Amino acid sequence: MNITQLLFWILTVIAIGSALMVITSKNPVYSVLGLIITFFAISGHYILMNAQFLAIVNIIVYAGAIMVLFLFVIMLMNLSKATETLKNKWMQIVGAIAGGCLFLVLVAALRNTEVKKNLVEMGTGNIGLVKNLGHELFTTFVIPFEIASILFLSAMVGAVVIGKKE
């Protein structure tokens, strides 16, 4: 077992453990923190697959911005035990049946798939590198990139104009 496989299994255990923490935690703040750990572990997998851009975007966008938003929303909500509604037994049974049906559909969909060996070349190739993405973005796709830049600039100016007090 080399270091890449060892890192893969460590990141996998961390990702699965923190994902289980997300769905089993009673405290919603701990669930969000578990989700942040899951995103970091998935970013580690992206780095192992030589997709640095995806790893950085995953950390910045998901673990950074969206999780901060989740934490603010959860902390601003009043999640005390007194305001929690009583859960009906029938709703729990229906939820369990719906989850079981979803599991059966997933098993039926994945039953006849082939598992290919060596899908990812670890640490080799130039596919996920930021350098190659930048080269393609500023040579082949320079016109759509500039159009998107102008669109974002006009949206920011519009937001400032709408939000400006008179």
Side-chain angles (χ1 to χ4, degrees):
M1 180 178 275
N2 60 13
I3 190 70
T4 305
Q5 290 174 333
L6 183 66
L7 283 173
F8 172 79
W9 286 110
I10 289 172
L11 288 170
T12 302
V13 167
I14 291 171
I16 291 173
S18 59
L20 287 174
M21 183 179 133
V22 169
I23 60 173
T24 59
S25 177
K26 299 268 185 201
N27 190 345
V29 175
Y30 293 149
S31 292
V32 170
L33 293 176
L35 195 55
I36 291 172
I37 295 169
T38 304
F39 284 143
F40 274 102
I42 297 300
S43 295
H45 281 108
Y46 287 148
I47 290 173
L48 285 178
M49 292 188 297
N50 205 21
Q52 294 96 357
F53 180 74
L54 281 178
I56 296 300
V57 167
N58 190 25
I59 289 172
I60 291 172
V61 173
Y62 289 111
I66 293 176
M67 288 300 110
V68 168
L69 179 69
F70 279 7
L71 277 175
F72 278 135
V73 168
I74 287 172
M75 288 179 178
L76 289 175
M77 290 173 53
N78 187 12
L79 296 176
S80 63
K81 292 281 184 185
T83 61
E84 186 176 329
T85 60
L86 215 52
K87 293 180 178 68
N88 192 354
K89 282 287 186 194
W90 287 106
M91 292 302 287
Q92 290 178 348
I93 292 171
V94 169
I97 291 172
C101 289
L102 177 65
F103 179 72
L104 288 176
V105 167
L106 287 174
V107 167
L110 297 175
R111 185 180 53 184
N112 294 328
T113 59
E114 285 185 31
V115 178
K116 296 182 180 178
K117 300 292 181 187
N118 297 329
L119 289 176
V120 177
E121 292 183 22
M122 303 294 234
T124 60
N126 294 327
I127 294 194
L129 298 178
V130 179
K131 175 182 160 188
N132 296 333
L133 177 68
H135 182 267
E136 285 296 315
L137 195 60
F138 290 118
T139 55
T140 308
F141 299 104
V142 71
I143 300 296
F145 179 75
E146 290 301 325
I147 291 172
S149 300
I150 293 170
L151 180 68
F152 285 137
L153 179 65
S154 63
M156 285 190 292
V157 168
V160 168
V161 167
I162 289 173
K164 185 178 174 184
K165 292 183 180 180
E166 298 188 29

